[in-house]
PDB file of all heavy atoms in Angstrom:
ATOM      1  N   MET B 459      27.793 -23.949   9.200  1.00 94.00           N
ATOM      2  CA  MET B 459      27.496 -22.947  10.213  1.00 94.00           C
ATOM      3  C   MET B 459      27.569 -21.534   9.642  1.00 94.00           C
ATOM      4  O   MET B 459      26.879 -20.627  10.102  1.00 94.00           O
ATOM      5  CB  MET B 459      28.466 -23.066  11.401  1.00 94.00           C
ATOM      6  CG  MET B 459      28.482 -24.428  12.081  1.00 94.00           C
ATOM      7  SD  MET B 459      26.850 -25.115  12.400  1.00 94.00           S
ATOM      8  CE  MET B 459      26.459 -24.281  13.927  1.00 94.00           C
ATOM      9  N   GLU B 460      28.405 -21.340   8.616  1.00 93.00           N
ATOM     10  CA  GLU B 460      28.575 -19.997   8.047  1.00 93.00           C
ATOM     11  C   GLU B 460      27.304 -19.482   7.361  1.00 93.00           C
ATOM     12  O   GLU B 460      27.193 -18.298   7.069  1.00 93.00           O
ATOM     13  CB  GLU B 460      29.772 -19.976   7.076  1.00 93.00           C
ATOM     14  CG  GLU B 460      29.680 -20.896   5.861  1.00 93.00           C
ATOM     15  CD  GLU B 460      30.238 -22.323   6.106  1.00 93.00           C
ATOM     16  OE1 GLU B 460      29.992 -22.880   7.196  1.00 93.00           O
ATOM     17  OE2 GLU B 460      30.898 -22.854   5.190  1.00 93.00           O
ATOM     18  N   LEU B 461      26.360 -20.394   7.109  1.00 94.00           N
ATOM     19  CA  LEU B 461      25.123 -19.951   6.465  1.00 94.00           C
ATOM     20  C   LEU B 461      24.017 -19.658   7.474  1.00 94.00           C
ATOM     21  O   LEU B 461      22.944 -19.189   7.116  1.00 94.00           O
ATOM     22  CB  LEU B 461      24.632 -21.014   5.474  1.00 94.00           C
ATOM     23  CG  LEU B 461      25.589 -21.363   4.326  1.00 94.00           C
ATOM     24  CD1 LEU B 461      25.053 -22.532   3.519  1.00 94.00           C
ATOM     25  CD2 LEU B 461      25.800 -20.158   3.419  1.00 94.00           C
ATOM     26  N   ARG B 462      24.282 -19.968   8.728  1.00 96.00           N
ATOM     27  CA  ARG B 462      23.225 -19.862   9.741  1.00 96.00           C
ATOM     28  C   ARG B 462      23.267 -18.516  10.464  1.00 96.00           C
ATOM     29  O   ARG B 462      24.247 -17.796  10.373  1.00 96.00           O
ATOM     30  CB  ARG B 462      23.354 -21.012  10.737  1.00 96.00           C
ATOM     31  CG  ARG B 462      23.257 -22.359  10.027  1.00 96.00           C
ATOM     32  CD  ARG B 462      23.266 -23.527  10.983  1.00 96.00           C
ATOM     33  NE  ARG B 462      23.236 -24.771  10.214  1.00 96.00           N
ATOM     34  CZ  ARG B 462      23.279 -25.975  10.766  1.00 96.00           C
ATOM     35  NH1 ARG B 462      23.357 -26.107  12.091  1.00 96.00           N
ATOM     36  NH2 ARG B 462      23.241 -27.046  10.003  1.00 96.00           N
ATOM     37  N   GLY B 463      22.234 -18.221  11.194  1.00 94.00           N
ATOM     38  CA  GLY B 463      22.227 -16.998  11.982  1.00 94.00           C
ATOM     39  C   GLY B 463      20.961 -16.193  11.777  1.00 94.00           C
ATOM     40  O   GLY B 463      19.997 -16.658  11.164  1.00 94.00           O
ATOM     41  N   MET B 464      20.958 -14.980  12.327  1.00 93.00           N
ATOM     42  CA  MET B 464      19.777 -14.119  12.285  1.00 93.00           C
ATOM     43  C   MET B 464      20.063 -12.750  11.664  1.00 93.00           C
ATOM     44  O   MET B 464      19.173 -11.916  11.569  1.00 93.00           O
ATOM     45  CB  MET B 464      19.258 -13.877  13.707  1.00 93.00           C
ATOM     46  CG  MET B 464      18.030 -14.626  14.156  1.00 93.00           C
ATOM     47  SD  MET B 464      16.585 -14.586  13.109  1.00 93.00           S
ATOM     48  CE  MET B 464      15.612 -15.814  13.960  1.00 93.00           C
ATOM     49  N   ASP B 465      21.310 -12.504  11.243  1.00 94.00           N
ATOM     50  CA  ASP B 465      21.569 -11.209  10.628  1.00 94.00           C
ATOM     51  C   ASP B 465      20.745 -11.083   9.348  1.00 94.00           C
ATOM     52  O   ASP B 465      20.590 -12.057   8.613  1.00 94.00           O
ATOM     53  CB  ASP B 465      23.057 -11.045  10.298  1.00 94.00           C
ATOM     54  CG  ASP B 465      23.899 -10.910  11.562  1.00 94.00           C
ATOM     55  OD1 ASP B 465      23.309 -10.578  12.613  1.00 94.00           O
ATOM     56  OD2 ASP B 465      25.115 -11.147  11.502  1.00 94.00           O
ATOM     57  N   GLY B 466      20.243  -9.886   9.100  1.00 95.00           N
ATOM     58  CA  GLY B 466      19.320  -9.672   7.978  1.00 95.00           C
ATOM     59  C   GLY B 466      19.909 -10.012   6.622  1.00 95.00           C
ATOM     60  O   GLY B 466      19.239 -10.537   5.746  1.00 95.00           O
ATOM     61  N   ILE B 467      21.182  -9.702   6.447  1.00 96.00           N
ATOM     62  CA  ILE B 467      21.878 -10.059   5.216  1.00 96.00           C
ATOM     63  C   ILE B 467      23.140 -10.812   5.610  1.00 96.00           C
ATOM     64  O   ILE B 467      23.900 -10.356   6.461  1.00 96.00           O
ATOM     65  CB  ILE B 467      22.257  -8.803   4.395  1.00 96.00           C
ATOM     66  CG1 ILE B 467      20.982  -8.080   3.946  1.00 96.00           C
ATOM     67  CG2 ILE B 467      23.123  -9.170   3.203  1.00 96.00           C
ATOM     68  CD1 ILE B 467      21.238  -6.821   3.155  1.00 96.00           C
ATOM     69  N   ARG B 468      23.357 -11.983   5.034  1.00 96.00           N
ATOM     70  CA  ARG B 468      24.558 -12.753   5.358  1.00 96.00           C
ATOM     71  C   ARG B 468      25.251 -13.176   4.057  1.00 96.00           C
ATOM     72  O   ARG B 468      24.611 -13.376   3.037  1.00 96.00           O
ATOM     73  CB  ARG B 468      24.191 -13.997   6.184  1.00 96.00           C
ATOM     74  CG  ARG B 468      23.460 -13.649   7.466  1.00 96.00           C
ATOM     75  CD  ARG B 468      23.416 -14.789   8.467  1.00 96.00           C
ATOM     76  NE  ARG B 468      22.688 -15.964   8.038  1.00 96.00           N
ATOM     77  CZ  ARG B 468      21.359 -16.048   7.979  1.00 96.00           C
ATOM     78  NH1 ARG B 468      20.624 -15.016   8.304  1.00 96.00           N
ATOM     79  NH2 ARG B 468      20.771 -17.153   7.596  1.00 96.00           N
ATOM     80  N   LYS B 469      26.553 -13.270   4.150  1.00 95.00           N
ATOM     81  CA  LYS B 469      27.340 -13.676   2.991  1.00 95.00           C
ATOM     82  C   LYS B 469      28.262 -14.795   3.404  1.00 95.00           C
ATOM     83  O   LYS B 469      28.768 -14.784   4.519  1.00 95.00           O
ATOM     84  CB  LYS B 469      28.220 -12.518   2.496  1.00 95.00           C
ATOM     85  CG  LYS B 469      27.454 -11.274   2.174  1.00 95.00           C
ATOM     86  CD  LYS B 469      28.369 -10.113   1.876  1.00 95.00           C
ATOM     87  CE  LYS B 469      27.454  -8.911   1.707  1.00 95.00           C
ATOM     88  NZ  LYS B 469      28.018  -7.738   1.165  1.00 95.00           N
ATOM     89  N   ALA B 470      28.500 -15.743   2.516  1.00 94.00           N
ATOM     90  CA  ALA B 470      29.455 -16.803   2.822  1.00 94.00           C
ATOM     91  C   ALA B 470      29.979 -17.351   1.509  1.00 94.00           C
ATOM     92  O   ALA B 470      29.333 -17.238   0.463  1.00 94.00           O
ATOM     93  CB  ALA B 470      28.791 -17.921   3.619  1.00 94.00           C
ATOM     94  N   SER B 471      31.160 -17.925   1.589  1.00 94.00           N
ATOM     95  CA  SER B 471      31.717 -18.559   0.416  1.00 94.00           C
ATOM     96  C   SER B 471      31.890 -20.033   0.757  1.00 94.00           C
ATOM     97  O   SER B 471      32.441 -20.373   1.800  1.00 94.00           O
ATOM     98  CB  SER B 471      33.053 -17.918   0.067  1.00 94.00           C
ATOM     99  OG  SER B 471      33.521 -18.460  -1.135  1.00 94.00           O
ATOM    100  N   VAL B 472      31.377 -20.904  -0.102  1.00 93.00           N
ATOM    101  CA  VAL B 472      31.468 -22.332   0.160  1.00 93.00           C
ATOM    102  C   VAL B 472      32.399 -22.942  -0.898  1.00 93.00           C
ATOM    103  O   VAL B 472      32.286 -22.635  -2.077  1.00 93.00           O
ATOM    104  CB  VAL B 472      30.073 -22.992   0.096  1.00 93.00           C
ATOM    105  CG1 VAL B 472      30.187 -24.487   0.275  1.00 93.00           C
ATOM    106  CG2 VAL B 472      29.169 -22.402   1.172  1.00 93.00           C
ATOM    107  N   ASP B 473      33.295 -23.780  -0.425  1.00 93.00           N
ATOM    108  CA  ASP B 473      34.303 -24.347  -1.311  1.00 93.00           C
ATOM    109  C   ASP B 473      33.775 -25.597  -2.011  1.00 93.00           C
ATOM    110  O   ASP B 473      33.537 -26.618  -1.391  1.00 93.00           O
ATOM    111  CB  ASP B 473      35.542 -24.689  -0.461  1.00 93.00           C
ATOM    112  CG  ASP B 473      36.624 -25.325  -1.309  1.00 93.00           C
ATOM    113  OD1 ASP B 473      36.656 -25.066  -2.519  1.00 93.00           O
ATOM    114  OD2 ASP B 473      37.421 -26.097  -0.737  1.00 93.00           O
ATOM    115  N   PHE B 474      33.573 -25.504  -3.336  1.00 92.00           N
ATOM    116  CA  PHE B 474      33.135 -26.660  -4.113  1.00 92.00           C
ATOM    117  C   PHE B 474      34.379 -27.290  -4.727  1.00 92.00           C
ATOM    118  O   PHE B 474      34.611 -27.166  -5.919  1.00 92.00           O
ATOM    119  CB  PHE B 474      32.139 -26.233  -5.208  1.00 92.00           C
ATOM    120  CG  PHE B 474      30.700 -26.270  -4.792  1.00 92.00           C
ATOM    121  CD1 PHE B 474      30.334 -25.936  -3.496  1.00 92.00           C
ATOM    122  CD2 PHE B 474      29.692 -26.641  -5.692  1.00 92.00           C
ATOM    123  CE1 PHE B 474      28.994 -25.962  -3.103  1.00 92.00           C
ATOM    124  CE2 PHE B 474      28.356 -26.682  -5.299  1.00 92.00           C
ATOM    125  CZ  PHE B 474      28.013 -26.341  -4.015  1.00 92.00           C
ATOM    126  N   ASP B 475      35.174 -27.899  -3.861  1.00 89.00           N
ATOM    127  CA  ASP B 475      36.349 -28.599  -4.342  1.00 89.00           C
ATOM    128  C   ASP B 475      37.260 -27.690  -5.178  1.00 89.00           C
ATOM    129  O   ASP B 475      37.580 -27.978  -6.324  1.00 89.00           O
ATOM    130  CB  ASP B 475      35.910 -29.811  -5.188  1.00 89.00           C
ATOM    131  CG  ASP B 475      36.949 -30.924  -5.104  1.00 89.00           C
ATOM    132  OD1 ASP B 475      37.802 -30.866  -4.194  1.00 89.00           O
ATOM    133  OD2 ASP B 475      36.894 -31.831  -5.963  1.00 89.00           O
ATOM    134  N   GLY B 476      37.604 -26.567  -4.606  1.00 91.00           N
ATOM    135  CA  GLY B 476      38.497 -25.641  -5.297  1.00 91.00           C
ATOM    136  C   GLY B 476      37.771 -24.467  -5.937  1.00 91.00           C
ATOM    137  O   GLY B 476      38.358 -23.433  -6.198  1.00 91.00           O
ATOM    138  N   LEU B 477      36.484 -24.624  -6.186  1.00 92.00           N
ATOM    139  CA  LEU B 477      35.718 -23.528  -6.777  1.00 92.00           C
ATOM    140  C   LEU B 477      34.926 -22.821  -5.671  1.00 92.00           C
ATOM    141  O   LEU B 477      34.046 -23.409  -5.056  1.00 92.00           O
ATOM    142  CB  LEU B 477      34.759 -24.083  -7.835  1.00 92.00           C
ATOM    143  CG  LEU B 477      33.886 -23.057  -8.551  1.00 92.00           C
ATOM    144  CD1 LEU B 477      34.704 -22.211  -9.507  1.00 92.00           C
ATOM    145  CD2 LEU B 477      32.752 -23.753  -9.292  1.00 92.00           C
ATOM    146  N   PRO B 478      35.226 -21.547  -5.393  1.00 94.00           N
ATOM    147  CA  PRO B 478      34.471 -20.865  -4.340  1.00 94.00           C
ATOM    148  C   PRO B 478      33.100 -20.421  -4.845  1.00 94.00           C
ATOM    149  O   PRO B 478      33.003 -19.748  -5.873  1.00 94.00           O
ATOM    150  CB  PRO B 478      35.348 -19.651  -3.999  1.00 94.00           C
ATOM    151  CG  PRO B 478      36.220 -19.439  -5.181  1.00 94.00           C
ATOM    152  CD  PRO B 478      36.242 -20.693  -6.002  1.00 94.00           C
ATOM    153  N   ILE B 479      32.070 -20.852  -4.166  1.00 94.00           N
ATOM    154  CA  ILE B 479      30.713 -20.454  -4.536  1.00 94.00           C
ATOM    155  C   ILE B 479      30.264 -19.385  -3.548  1.00 94.00           C
ATOM    156  O   ILE B 479      30.204 -19.629  -2.340  1.00 94.00           O
ATOM    157  CB  ILE B 479      29.750 -21.660  -4.477  1.00 94.00           C
ATOM    158  CG1 ILE B 479      30.229 -22.773  -5.409  1.00 94.00           C
ATOM    159  CG2 ILE B 479      28.334 -21.249  -4.826  1.00 94.00           C
ATOM    160  CD1 ILE B 479      30.181 -22.431  -6.873  1.00 94.00           C
ATOM    161  N   ASN B 480      29.927 -18.197  -4.056  1.00 96.00           N
ATOM    162  CA  ASN B 480      29.524 -17.087  -3.186  1.00 96.00           C
ATOM    163  C   ASN B 480      28.025 -17.110  -2.985  1.00 96.00           C
ATOM    164  O   ASN B 480      27.253 -17.072  -3.936  1.00 96.00           O
ATOM    165  CB  ASN B 480      29.935 -15.757  -3.801  1.00 96.00           C
ATOM    166  CG  ASN B 480      31.438 -15.668  -3.943  1.00 96.00           C
ATOM    167  OD1 ASN B 480      32.178 -16.282  -3.180  1.00 96.00           O
ATOM    168  ND2 ASN B 480      31.882 -14.915  -4.939  1.00 96.00           N
ATOM    169  N   ILE B 481      27.661 -17.132  -1.712  1.00 96.00           N
ATOM    170  CA  ILE B 481      26.254 -17.265  -1.388  1.00 96.00           C
ATOM    171  C   ILE B 481      25.786 -16.069  -0.572  1.00 96.00           C
ATOM    172  O   ILE B 481      26.473 -15.609   0.342  1.00 96.00           O
ATOM    173  CB  ILE B 481      26.033 -18.577  -0.620  1.00 96.00           C
ATOM    174  CG1 ILE B 481      26.168 -19.722  -1.622  1.00 96.00           C
ATOM    175  CG2 ILE B 481      24.666 -18.620   0.044  1.00 96.00           C
ATOM    176  CD1 ILE B 481      26.204 -21.060  -0.988  1.00 96.00           C
TER     177      ILE B 481
END
Side-chain angles (χ1 to χ4, degrees):
Chain B
M459 303 314 277
E460 61 271 41
L461 300 174
R462 301 185 183 178
M464 256 309 171
D465 291 341
I467 296 179
R468 302 196 296 285
K469 304 172 185 192
S471 185
V472 176
D473 178 26
F474 269 35
D475 209 16
L477 180 72
I479 302 294
N480 298 332
I481 287 170

